[in-house]
Amino acid sequence: MDPGWEPGEPGEPGWAQPGAALGGRGLLALAAASGAAVWATWAVLLMPGFRRVPLRLQVPRDPRTPSRPARPPLTPLCPQVPYQPSSPRQVANSLALLRGRAGKTVDLGSGDGRLVLEAYKQGLRPALGYELNPWLLCLANYRAWKAGCHGKVSFLKKDLWKVNLSDCHNVIVFLAPSVKPPLATKLLAELPDDARVVAGRYPFPSWTPSSTLGQGLDQVWAYDIKEVRREVQGSAQQSQV
Protein backbone atom coordinates (compact mmCIF):
# COMPACT_ATOMS: atom_id res chain seq x y z
CA MET A 1 0.00 0.00 0.00
CA ASP A 2 1.28 3.49 -0.86
CA PRO A 3 2.25 5.26 2.42
CA GLY A 4 0.82 8.49 1.05
CA TRP A 5 -2.51 7.01 0.10
CA GLU A 6 -5.58 8.32 1.89
CA PRO A 7 -8.90 6.48 2.16
CA GLY A 8 -11.19 7.40 -0.69
CA GLU A 9 -8.42 8.26 -3.15
CA PRO A 10 -8.67 6.51 -6.52
CA GLY A 11 -6.22 3.91 -7.56
CA GLU A 12 -6.12 1.73 -4.44
CA PRO A 13 -6.70 -1.95 -5.39
CA GLY A 14 -9.74 -3.65 -3.87
CA TRP A 15 -11.88 -0.53 -3.49
CA ALA A 16 -14.73 0.01 -5.94
CA GLN A 17 -15.40 3.63 -6.81
CA PRO A 18 -18.90 5.11 -6.36
CA GLY A 19 -20.96 4.60 -9.46
CA ALA A 20 -18.61 2.02 -10.90
CA ALA A 21 -20.34 -0.90 -12.60
CA LEU A 22 -19.99 -4.39 -11.15
CA GLY A 23 -17.86 -6.64 -13.28
CA GLY A 24 -18.75 -10.18 -14.31
CA ARG A 25 -17.16 -11.62 -11.21
CA GLY A 26 -19.02 -9.19 -8.98
CA LEU A 27 -22.37 -10.11 -10.50
CA LEU A 28 -21.57 -13.79 -10.17
CA ALA A 29 -20.62 -13.37 -6.51
CA LEU A 30 -23.79 -11.39 -5.81
CA ALA A 31 -25.97 -14.07 -7.46
CA ALA A 32 -24.24 -16.82 -5.51
CA ALA A 33 -24.69 -14.97 -2.22
CA SER A 34 -28.40 -14.36 -2.95
CA GLY A 35 -28.95 -18.01 -3.84
CA ALA A 36 -27.21 -19.16 -0.69
CA ALA A 37 -29.36 -16.85 1.43
CA VAL A 38 -32.58 -18.16 -0.15
CA TRP A 39 -31.52 -21.77 0.30
CA ALA A 40 -30.54 -21.16 3.93
CA THR A 41 -33.93 -19.56 4.66
CA TRP A 42 -35.74 -22.53 3.11
CA ALA A 43 -33.58 -25.18 4.80
CA VAL A 44 -33.67 -23.63 8.27
CA LEU A 45 -37.13 -22.08 8.48
CA LEU A 46 -39.52 -23.41 5.88
CA MET A 47 -38.57 -26.96 4.96
CA PRO A 48 -38.90 -28.40 8.52
CA GLY A 49 -42.41 -27.02 8.81
CA PHE A 50 -43.48 -28.44 5.47
CA ARG A 51 -42.07 -31.88 6.15
CA ARG A 52 -43.20 -32.45 9.72
CA VAL A 53 -46.75 -33.72 9.51
CA PRO A 54 -48.31 -35.72 12.35
CA LEU A 55 -48.64 -39.39 11.42
CA ARG A 56 -52.38 -39.49 12.08
CA LEU A 57 -52.94 -36.64 9.60
CA GLN A 58 -50.69 -37.80 6.78
CA VAL A 59 -51.87 -36.97 3.29
CA PRO A 60 -51.52 -40.07 1.09
CA ARG A 61 -48.54 -39.90 -1.22
CA ASP A 62 -49.41 -39.45 -4.90
CA PRO A 63 -47.95 -42.50 -6.73
CA ARG A 64 -47.21 -40.24 -9.70
CA THR A 65 -44.59 -38.46 -7.57
CA PRO A 66 -41.09 -39.98 -8.06
CA SER A 67 -40.06 -42.15 -5.14
CA ARG A 68 -37.33 -41.02 -2.79
CA PRO A 69 -34.44 -43.00 -1.34
CA ALA A 70 -35.14 -44.88 1.86
CA ARG A 71 -34.73 -42.85 5.05
CA PRO A 72 -33.87 -43.88 8.60
CA PRO A 73 -36.74 -44.93 10.90
CA LEU A 74 -38.82 -41.97 12.06
CA THR A 75 -40.61 -41.20 15.28
CA PRO A 76 -44.41 -41.60 15.08
CA LEU A 77 -45.02 -38.03 16.21
CA CYS A 78 -43.01 -36.32 13.53
CA PRO A 79 -42.49 -38.37 10.37
CA GLN A 80 -40.87 -36.70 7.37
CA VAL A 81 -43.80 -36.83 4.97
CA PRO A 82 -43.81 -34.36 2.06
CA TYR A 83 -46.95 -32.32 1.61
CA GLN A 84 -49.04 -33.43 -1.37
CA PRO A 85 -51.49 -30.75 -2.58
CA SER A 86 -54.69 -31.68 -4.36
CA SER A 87 -54.45 -31.61 -8.13
CA PRO A 88 -56.66 -29.19 -10.13
CA ARG A 89 -58.79 -32.15 -11.29
CA GLN A 90 -59.20 -33.44 -7.73
CA VAL A 91 -60.31 -29.98 -6.62
CA ALA A 92 -62.78 -29.67 -9.51
CA ASN A 93 -64.26 -33.13 -8.88
CA SER A 94 -64.62 -32.49 -5.15
CA LEU A 95 -66.46 -29.22 -5.67
CA ALA A 96 -68.63 -30.75 -8.40
CA LEU A 97 -70.02 -33.21 -5.83
CA LEU A 98 -70.93 -30.25 -3.59
CA ARG A 99 -72.50 -28.13 -6.32
CA GLY A 100 -75.91 -26.78 -5.39
CA ARG A 101 -75.43 -27.33 -1.67
CA ALA A 102 -75.24 -24.73 1.07
CA GLY A 103 -74.06 -24.40 4.64
CA LYS A 104 -70.80 -24.44 6.54
CA THR A 105 -68.04 -26.18 4.62
CA VAL A 106 -64.80 -27.45 6.18
CA ASP A 107 -61.67 -29.05 4.81
CA LEU A 108 -60.03 -31.37 7.36
CA GLY A 109 -56.31 -30.95 6.74
CA SER A 110 -56.66 -27.96 4.44
CA GLY A 111 -53.01 -27.65 3.39
CA ASP A 112 -52.45 -24.55 1.27
CA GLY A 113 -56.18 -23.73 1.28
CA ARG A 114 -57.01 -24.34 -2.36
CA LEU A 115 -60.13 -26.43 -1.65
CA VAL A 116 -61.45 -23.90 0.86
CA LEU A 117 -60.97 -21.04 -1.60
CA GLU A 118 -62.76 -22.89 -4.39
CA ALA A 119 -65.59 -23.80 -2.02
CA TYR A 120 -66.04 -20.13 -1.14
CA LYS A 121 -66.03 -19.12 -4.80
CA GLN A 122 -68.71 -21.73 -5.44
CA GLY A 123 -70.93 -20.13 -2.80
CA LEU A 124 -70.30 -22.58 0.06
CA ARG A 125 -70.13 -20.27 3.06
CA PRO A 126 -68.79 -20.04 5.62
CA ALA A 127 -65.77 -21.94 4.31
CA LEU A 128 -62.87 -22.83 6.57
CA GLY A 129 -59.99 -25.24 6.91
CA TYR A 130 -58.33 -26.97 9.83
CA GLU A 131 -54.57 -27.42 9.52
CA LEU A 132 -51.78 -28.05 12.05
CA ASN A 133 -48.79 -27.08 9.89
CA PRO A 134 -48.03 -23.38 10.58
CA TRP A 135 -46.22 -22.83 7.28
CA LEU A 136 -49.14 -24.22 5.28
CA LEU A 137 -51.44 -21.96 7.27
CA CYS A 138 -49.32 -18.97 6.26
CA LEU A 139 -49.40 -20.11 2.64
CA ALA A 140 -53.18 -20.58 2.77
CA ASN A 141 -53.70 -17.08 4.15
CA TYR A 142 -51.41 -15.67 1.47
CA ARG A 143 -53.39 -17.45 -1.25
CA ALA A 144 -56.61 -16.07 0.25
CA TRP A 145 -55.20 -12.54 0.22
CA LYS A 146 -53.98 -12.94 -3.35
CA ALA A 147 -57.42 -14.20 -4.44
CA GLY A 148 -59.18 -11.26 -2.77
CA CYS A 149 -60.73 -13.53 -0.14
CA HIS A 150 -58.81 -12.34 2.91
CA GLY A 151 -61.20 -12.18 5.85
CA LYS A 152 -63.84 -14.11 3.90
CA VAL A 153 -62.41 -17.59 4.52
CA SER A 154 -60.78 -18.95 7.67
CA PHE A 155 -57.83 -21.24 8.29
CA LEU A 156 -57.49 -22.44 11.86
CA LYS A 157 -54.64 -24.22 13.57
CA LYS A 158 -56.68 -26.91 15.29
CA ASP A 159 -56.51 -30.66 15.68
CA LEU A 160 -59.41 -32.14 13.70
CA TRP A 161 -59.97 -34.72 16.45
CA LYS A 162 -60.71 -31.94 18.93
CA VAL A 163 -63.05 -29.74 16.89
CA ASN A 164 -66.82 -30.08 17.02
CA LEU A 165 -68.30 -30.72 13.58
CA SER A 166 -71.96 -30.69 14.58
CA ASP A 167 -72.67 -27.49 12.61
CA CYS A 168 -70.87 -28.57 9.44
CA HIS A 169 -72.94 -29.47 6.38
CA ASN A 170 -70.14 -30.14 3.90
CA VAL A 171 -66.88 -31.87 4.83
CA ILE A 172 -63.89 -32.44 2.54
CA VAL A 173 -61.31 -35.07 3.47
CA PHE A 174 -57.98 -35.73 1.69
CA LEU A 175 -56.21 -37.91 4.26
CA ALA A 176 -54.48 -41.28 4.43
CA PRO A 177 -56.47 -44.54 4.47
CA SER A 178 -55.38 -45.26 8.06
CA VAL A 179 -57.22 -42.15 9.21
CA LYS A 180 -60.56 -43.04 7.63
CA PRO A 181 -61.93 -45.65 10.12
CA PRO A 182 -61.54 -43.52 13.29
CA LEU A 183 -62.61 -40.42 11.38
CA ALA A 184 -65.74 -42.22 10.17
CA THR A 185 -66.74 -42.82 13.80
CA LYS A 186 -66.27 -39.14 14.63
CA LEU A 187 -68.23 -37.94 11.59
CA LEU A 188 -71.16 -40.26 12.29
CA ALA A 189 -71.27 -39.11 15.90
CA GLU A 190 -71.18 -35.37 15.18
CA LEU A 191 -72.46 -34.45 11.71
CA PRO A 192 -76.13 -33.56 11.10
CA ASP A 193 -78.26 -35.84 8.92
CA ASP A 194 -78.17 -33.47 5.94
CA ALA A 195 -74.36 -33.33 5.86
CA ARG A 196 -72.32 -34.59 2.95
CA VAL A 197 -68.73 -35.85 3.16
CA VAL A 198 -66.45 -35.79 0.12
CA ALA A 199 -63.33 -37.98 0.26
CA GLY A 200 -60.44 -37.67 -2.18
CA ARG A 201 -57.86 -40.25 -3.31
CA TYR A 202 -59.15 -42.95 -0.95
CA PRO A 203 -62.77 -43.77 0.01
CA PHE A 204 -64.12 -44.61 3.44
CA PRO A 205 -63.76 -48.41 3.46
CA SER A 206 -66.99 -49.25 5.32
CA TRP A 207 -69.29 -46.66 3.71
CA THR A 208 -71.27 -46.90 0.48
CA PRO A 209 -70.91 -43.67 -1.54
CA SER A 210 -73.98 -41.79 -2.73
CA SER A 211 -72.06 -40.76 -5.85
CA THR A 212 -68.55 -40.70 -7.25
CA LEU A 213 -66.70 -38.75 -9.90
CA GLY A 214 -63.42 -39.18 -11.76
CA GLN A 215 -61.06 -42.05 -12.37
CA GLY A 216 -57.84 -43.26 -10.80
CA LEU A 217 -56.06 -40.75 -8.60
CA ASP A 218 -58.58 -38.05 -9.50
CA GLN A 219 -61.57 -40.03 -8.22
CA VAL A 220 -63.59 -38.60 -5.35
CA TRP A 221 -66.49 -40.08 -3.37
CA ALA A 222 -69.52 -38.38 -1.82
CA TYR A 223 -71.34 -39.75 1.22
CA ASP A 224 -74.68 -38.50 2.51
CA ILE A 225 -74.60 -38.96 6.27
CA LYS A 226 -78.30 -39.79 6.59
CA GLU A 227 -77.90 -42.71 4.18
CA VAL A 228 -74.68 -43.85 5.84
CA ARG A 229 -76.33 -43.84 9.26
CA ARG A 230 -79.24 -45.88 7.94
CA GLU A 231 -76.84 -48.41 6.43
CA VAL A 232 -74.74 -48.64 9.60
CA GLN A 233 -77.82 -49.09 11.79
CA GLY A 234 -79.17 -51.77 9.48
CA SER A 235 -75.90 -53.67 9.58
CA ALA A 236 -75.85 -53.44 13.38
CA GLN A 237 -79.39 -54.84 13.64
CA GLN A 238 -78.57 -57.73 11.31
CA SER A 239 -75.48 -58.61 13.35
CA GLN A 240 -77.64 -58.85 16.47
CA VAL A 241 -80.04 -61.33 14.91
Side-chain angles (χ1 to χ4, degrees):
M1 180 182 293
D2 186 351
W5 176 82
E6 295 293 335
E9 289 184 0
E12 176 64 15
W15 289 83
Q17 301 305 313
L22 285 174
R25 291 184 178 180
L27 291 174
L28 181 61
L30 181 60
S34 300
V38 171
W39 180 88
T41 301
W42 166 255
V44 176
L45 298 178
L46 298 180
M47 186 171 63
F50 271 92
R51 295 185 65 81
R52 292 174 183 174
V53 181
L55 181 62
R56 64 187 183 279
L57 300 182
Q58 286 184 29
V59 175
R61 180 181 175 276
D62 192 331
R64 292 174 294 192
T65 303
S67 59
R68 300 190 175 195
R71 296 179 179 272
L74 303 169
T75 61
L77 293 180
C78 193
Q80 296 182 8
V81 179
Y83 165 62
Q84 294 289 341
S86 305
S87 70
R89 177 53 56 188
Q90 289 169 343
V91 173
N93 289 345
S94 298
L95 273 298
L97 293 182
L98 294 176
R99 188 170 294 124
R101 293 182 57 81
K104 183 176 180 179
T105 301
V106 299
D107 183 5
L108 303 180
S110 52
D112 64 3
R114 62 185 63 194
L115 279 161
V116 174
L117 288 172
E118 291 303 317
Y120 178 84
K121 294 175 183 178
Q122 188 170 297
L124 296 168
R125 304 170 185 175
L128 69 153
Y130 294 116
E131 175 60 56
L132 288 177
N133 189 309
W135 302 110
L136 290 175
L137 285 169
C138 290
L139 181 57
N141 282 299
Y142 169 75
R143 289 172 61 93
W145 170 81
K146 188 176 180 181
C149 297
H150 180 68
K152 300 176 182 178
V153 296
S154 301
F155 300 102
L156 306 177
K157 186 180 180 181
K158 290 188 177 181
D159 189 329
L160 66 85
W161 304 108
K162 298 178 181 180
V163 298
N164 190 328
L165 303 174
S166 60
D167 61 343
C168 300
H169 297 274
N170 306 291
V171 179
I172 303 172
V173 181
F174 274 75
L175 294 173
S178 60
V179 179
K180 297 294 175 63
L183 183 58
T185 301
K186 176 179 174 63
L187 296 175
L188 284 175
E190 297 181 9
L191 291 179
D193 272 349
D194 62 347
R196 169 168 281 199
V197 177
V198 173
R201 295 192 184 136
Y202 295 96
F204 283 87
S206 60
W207 290 3
T208 301
S210 305
S211 57
T212 184
L213 183 63
Q215 299 291 329
L217 293 173
D218 296 326
Q219 186 172 7
V220 294
W221 297 262
Y223 305 90
D224 292 322
I225 290 299
K226 186 175 182 179
E227 295 181 10
V228 173
R229 281 200 177 105
R230 184 182 299 118
E231 181 182 10
V232 170
Q233 292 171 357
S235 298
Q237 291 175 356
Q238 290 180 358
S239 64
Q240 292 175 358
V241 175

